Structures are given as C-alpha cells and as structure tokens.
C-alpha cells in the first residue's frame, strides 16, 4: 500500500481560529470599572507591563469622564516617556484594484461596476515611485485588491521594482505590503523580495458579523484570514501587522480581539505584531452598510488610548482616512506612524491633476489631503520629530518596538539620532527655507537632549556629512 503521509499528520492547532466570541463577550459583560481598578490598570501599563483581556475589558467599559480622562492621560504619558516625540512617516501606493471579493464597505468590491479598474504597469510604478521620492518619501506600503493577477510572484516583482527606483537623492528604503492572505509558500516568495511588514486586517473579529460583510469571494473564509499571519510566521515572515476596521461591529469586541490576536502571536511565535492599525469606515463608492456600529470621535480617541495602554510595545498606525483635527488629537495618545501626502487613486502621485475627489477611482474617501511637506511643517511646529528611519529593519534589529520599549536608553541611542539624520536628509533635499530654519532648530534642541545615550558629537558629525552630500547614514 502506498504511504499517505496526510493520514498521519497531526492537525496543526495553530491554523485554527483562536477567537472565542463567548469568551470575549464574557470579559466585556463582567468588567466593572471602579476608580481604584482603572487606576491600577493604568499604573500597570505605565510600569511597562502588557494588559490582559480582563484588564482591557475594564478600560473599554469605562465611561466616567474623569476616568476616561485618566486613560487618555495615561496613554499620553506612556507615549511621551517611552517613545519620545518621533513620528514615522510613510505613504500608501495602490498597485492594483481588481478584486474578486465583495466586502460591503469597500469601493473596490467586485460587484461595484462604477469602480474604474486599473493595475499599474512597470513603467507606471516607476513614475509613481519617482514622484513619491521627489516628495521626500522613504517608506511605502504597497496595496493590492484580492485577485488572481496579484500572485505572490507579482507582488514580489513590484516590491523589487520599487526598491530599484532612484530619483536624484531619492530612494525607497522600506516597502511594506497590505494585500490578501497568502499560503505559506506565497508568504515565502514575498518575504524574499525584501519586504518590511505584511499587513492583513481582520476587519471584524466577530465571525457572524464578518460573514454578513463578506458575502462572496475568498475573503468570506474567516479562518483563512484570521490565521494568515500564522502562515506568514511559518514562512519565516515575522514582521506582521494586524488591524480591525472600526464601524463593522461593537468596537469594544474588536479592541479585545486585537489584544487576543497579539497574545496568540506572542504565545505561538514569541513575537507580537509589529503594528496595529485601526481604520474607521469612511465613505466609499456604493458603500452598503448601516451605521449601527459606527464609532464616534470620542470613542475613537478612547479606543486608541486603550490600545496604547494594552499593547505598549506595538507600533500604532493612523492614516489619512481621519480628518486633520482627529489626527492631531489622536497622535498624542500613542500613534507612532502616520501617512503624509496620501493619494489613493491609482497613478495619481505622478499626475498633478489628481485631487482625491473621485470616489469611483478610490477605495474610500480620505479626509486629510495635506501634502507631506504640510504634515512635516505641523509636526515640527508641535515639537515632533518627523522620521523616515529604516535602520532597525536593515540592520536586522527585529522587534524594534519591543526594544524601544524595554531596553533602557534605546530610543535616545538609536531612534532619536536616526530620526534626526533622516530629517536632515529631508530638509537638505526637499525642505523649503522656512522648513529648514525650523527643522534645524528642532534638530539642535533634540541633540541637546540625548543625555549621553548617544554621542551628540558623532550625531552632529553625521549631520554635517549629510549636509555635505552623503546619504543614508544611521546608527
Ligand atoms: N484587498 C486587501 C484586503 O482586503 O486585505 C487589501 C486591503 S484593502 C485595499 C486595505 C484596507 O482598507 C482593508 O483591509 C480595510 O480595512 C480598509 N477599508 C476598506 N474599505 C474601507 C472604507 N470604506 N473605509 C475605511 N477603510 C476601508
Ligand atoms: Fe477587495 Fe480588499 Fe476591497 Fe475587500 S477590502 S473588496 S478584498 S480590495
């Protein structure tokens, strides 16, 4: 008889769903936020300990304005004390919007006949990347619909193409991906092209709600999506990003589930997600959902602060989906990365006529239309250091957020100097005279605050080398 290995294979438990809705609702329904308990939990997080589900449930149930304010202040303190004042900048680049799924919230869904479909060709990708580089971008996230044309080989090809584009002093030093879940072999192929983070958002972790929003296509398979980043880990791709699309289900459930997902990755692979994203539903061509679960601004700010406290060493990404005022507010509570100069219409970075106003060409509406330069102006004005740093990933220092968080002095030794060096590059190559004046003042001020963790003389030397024409210096 022929040997059939699959008969004897032990089922891989890691590829099964790890979300138990009853368990999560159990935590939420039994959580009683007293003053004393909420304060203990905030203190635990400030003591650099991760929160468990029971503790997170207490925070999501907190409505007393005084305590909510303490949660916000706690998140602000954690951000200031632990992460400092850097904000990493990136831009999304949509490569193709063909899609075989029918997500009810998305303008790219297959049944939306109004959507203008496009996949950028190689020449168009090069033009887009050149335009992005001319603006000063160094970090991109490439975005794809779910379609047979967007195979792992295709994704890997586009990543390598992007890395190869160099316009004047411009280059892209980190390419992240937001695309459909792959199988293990697929993740391996994409990893080999040299990507940074692979993001897959679960949208909502509630299985029944998930089913209603995903009526057809491969994305209908909740478990396949939920376990996608386990397959990434199996493929050796350990830099992954998770997220939930807020507005699909009770936000408290999805916050706890993001924490549960983090626990799962840590328990199974010893490494949590690199980043958490928390997009809120925005207008899209033919948007087909009711507003029952839409998240108010107030709850949104609160949920970001709770996530900051619950998973203190995970990067948090806030995108231009949100309007300027919300971005300003939320950035204080623990966001570590934002996009700048974002355009969602395919091919629009190299087309000056394009103004983010045509929903049939975009996945959803963005609400912060400022250029990268304007965002940088505001960051500098508010004492944040705009950073394009890619050092850890290129030096193989993985788990950088964990190190930032847990290794004393790590930020002042590496992150701040690298932020200052990449800001210098930006100012020299792309800055306006006023930006240069304000930017170099900010650099000077931060050099004085390194407190001996990094040799300020050495940082200054490298800044001078950049001014003299050298590029890509980092610690
Ligand atoms: N097709 C891939 C997928 O579904 O995973 C790529 C993701 S899609 C291009 C990027 C993310 O945008 C989705 O995962 C979803 O969370 C978010 N998104 C979709 N429609 C949205 C809307 N109307 N408002 C805000 N975010 C939306
Ligand atoms: Fe396709 Fe992604 Fe949009 Fe769903 S969210 S329709 S999978 S592009």
């Amino acid at each position: 008889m022929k040997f059939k290995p699959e008969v004897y294979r032990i089922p891989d438990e890691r590829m099964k769903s790890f979300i138990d809705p009853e368990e999560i609702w159990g935590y939420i329904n039994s959580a009683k936020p007293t003053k004393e308990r909420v304060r203990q939990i905030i203190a635990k997080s400030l003591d650099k300990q991760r929160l468990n589900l029971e503790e997170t449930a207490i925070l999501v149930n907190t409505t007393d304005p005084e305590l909510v304010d303490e949660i916000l202040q706690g998140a602000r303190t954690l951000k200031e004390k632990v992460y400092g004042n850097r904000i990493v900048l990136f831009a999304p680049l949509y490569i193709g919007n063909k899609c075989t799924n029918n997500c009810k919230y998305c303008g790219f869904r297959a049944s939306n006949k109004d959507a203008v479909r496009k996949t950028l060709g190689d020449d168009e990708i090069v033009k887009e990347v050149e335009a992005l580089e001319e603006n000063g971008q160094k970090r991109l996230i490439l975005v794809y619909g779910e379609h047979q044309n967007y195979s792992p080989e295709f994704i890997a090809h586009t990543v390598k193409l992007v890395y190869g584009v160099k316009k004047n002093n411009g280059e892209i030093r980190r390419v992240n991906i937001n695309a459909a879940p792959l199988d293990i072999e697929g993740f391996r192929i994409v990893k080999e092209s040299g990507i940074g983070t692979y993001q897959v958002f679960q949208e909502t972790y509630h299985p029944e709600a998930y089913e209603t929003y995903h009526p057809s296509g491969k994305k209908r398979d909740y478990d396949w999506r939920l376990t996608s980043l386990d397959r990434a880990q199996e493929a050796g791709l350990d830099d992954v990003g998770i997220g939930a699309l807020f507005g699909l289900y009770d936000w408290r459930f999805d916050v706890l589930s993001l924490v549960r997902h983090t626990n799962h990755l840590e328990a199974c692979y010893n490494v949590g997600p690199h980043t958490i994203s928390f997009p809120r539903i925005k207008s899209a061509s033919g948007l087909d959902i009711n507003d029952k679960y839409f998240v108010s601004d107030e709850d949104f700010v609160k949920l970001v602060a709770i996530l900051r406290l619950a998973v203190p060493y995970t990067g948090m990404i806030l995108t231009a989906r949100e309007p300027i005022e919300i971005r300003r507010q939320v950035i204080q509570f623990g966001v570590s990365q934002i996009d700048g100069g974002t355009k969602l219409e395919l091919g629009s970075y190299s087309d000056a006529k394009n103004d983010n106003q045509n929903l049939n060409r975009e996945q959803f509406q963005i609400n912060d239309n400022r250029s990268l330069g304007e965002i940088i102006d505001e960051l500098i004005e508010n004492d944040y250091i705009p950073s394009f740093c890619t050092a850890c990933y290129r030096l193989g220092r993985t788990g950088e957020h964990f190190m930032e968080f847990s290794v004393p002095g790590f930020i002042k030794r590496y992150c701040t100097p690298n932020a200052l060096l990449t800001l210098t590059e930006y100012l020299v190559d792309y800055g306006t005279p006023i930006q240069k004046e304000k930017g170099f003042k900010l650099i000077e001020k931060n050099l004085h605050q390194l407190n001996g963790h990094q040799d300020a003389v050495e940082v200054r030397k490298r800044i001078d080398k950049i001014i003299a024409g050298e590029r890509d210096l980092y610690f």
Side-chain angles (χ1 to χ4, degrees), residues 213-274:
Y213 294 113
H214 303 102
S216 59
K218 189 145 170 93
K219 192 160 168 182
R220 193 169 166 70
D221 187 340
Y222 172 97
D223 285 357
W224 173 253
R225 194 161 179 95
L226 187 68
T227 57
S228 55
L229 299 175
D230 294 71
R231 294 191 296 282
Q233 298 280 351
E234 294 294 322
L237 204 171
D238 62 357
D239 188 335
V240 299
I242 63 173
L245 180 56
F246 284 96
L248 297 182
Y249 190 60
D250 191 310
W251 65 266
R252 299 172 303 160
F253 183 94
D254 280 320
V255 166
L256 259 72
S257 299
L258 286 167
V259 176
R260 180 74 186 82
H261 199 166
T262 302
N263 291 345
H264 168 79
L265 292 173
E266 276 179 7
C268 294
Y269 309 101
N270 230 351
V271 45
H274 188 90

Side-chain angles (χ1 to χ4, degrees), residues 105 143-144 178 201 203 219 225 280 282 321 363:
Y105 44 80
V143 187
Y144 312 73
N178 186 317
F201 304 160
E203 320 299 11
K219 192 160 168 182
R225 194 161 179 95
R280 262 195 305 183
K282 299 293 164 194
R321 289 175 179 86
Q363 191 190 12

Side-chain angles (χ1 to χ4, degrees), residues 50-216:
R50 244 206 346 85
L51 304 184
N52 60 33
L53 289 179
E54 186 240 328
E55 292 157 342
T56 311
I58 289 178
L59 296 189
V60 299
N61 272 358
T62 303
T63 51
D64 173 350
E66 188 192 342
L67 290 177
V68 171
D69 198 51
E70 290 186 29
I71 291 174
L72 301 188
Q73 293 319 321
R76 192 203 301 266
T77 307
L78 188 73
K79 152 124 178 107
E80 283 170 2
K81 290 238 166 81
V82 178
Y83 288 104
N85 55 346
R86 292 156 305 122
I87 296 286
V88 170
L89 292 161
F90 70 95
L93 173 58
Y94 279 69
I95 299 290
N97 68 356
K98 292 188 178 173
C99 195
T100 46
N101 291 320
N102 260 311
C103 312
K104 290 190 175 177
Y105 44 80
C106 179
F108 290 166
R109 66 181 185 281
S111 62
N112 182 11
K113 299 297 172 226
D114 292 332
V116 180
R117 305 284 165 185
K118 187 169 172 65
T119 303
L120 299 183
D122 286 5
D123 291 351
E124 290 170 304
I125 293 177
V126 170
K127 260 173 76 184
E128 288 290 273
V129 176
E130 284 181 346
L132 285 155
E133 289 178 357
E134 286 288 84
N135 278 328
Q137 302 282 2
K138 295 281 185 282
R139 307 166 58 109
L140 299 184
I141 179 151
L142 307 189
V143 187
Y144 312 73
E146 182 157 2
H147 192 269
Q148 59 275 15
N149 290 6
Y150 310 144
S151 63
E153 291 78 6
F154 174 78
I155 294 177
H157 166 73
T158 54
V159 171
K160 289 186 207 152
L161 191 62
V162 169
Y163 278 129
V165 179
K166 316 265 177 199
K167 184 82 196 281
N168 299 323
N169 279 336
E171 61 178 348
I172 300 303
R173 298 178 184 153
R174 179 169 177 132
V175 175
N176 297 329
I177 299 290
N178 186 317
L182 303 175
D183 60 17
I184 294 176
E185 188 46 30
F187 278 119
R188 206 168 274 137
I189 292 168
V190 173
K191 179 192 158 61
E192 277 163 15
S193 66
I195 65 159
T197 308
Y198 198 106
Q199 293 182 344
V200 177
F201 304 160
Q202 187 61 25
E203 320 299 11
T204 173
Y205 285 86
H206 192 272
E208 281 157 31
Y210 185 93
E211 213 180 303
T212 62
Y213 294 113
H214 303 102
S216 59

Side-chain angles (χ1 to χ4, degrees), residues 349-366:
Y349 287 111
S350 51
D351 176 359
K353 292 195 297 296
N354 232 305
D355 55 3
N356 284 332
Q357 295 302 327
N358 187 342
L359 269 194
N360 286 336
R361 294 174 184 271
E362 293 159 19
Q363 191 190 12
F364 47 79
Q365 188 179 342
I366 63 165

Side-chain angles (χ1 to χ4, degrees), residues 41-53:
I41 293 169
I42 298 171
K44 179 178 174 188
S45 175
L46 290 175
D47 195 32
K48 298 187 171 187
Q49 294 178 57
R50 244 206 346 85
L51 304 184
N52 60 33
L53 289 179

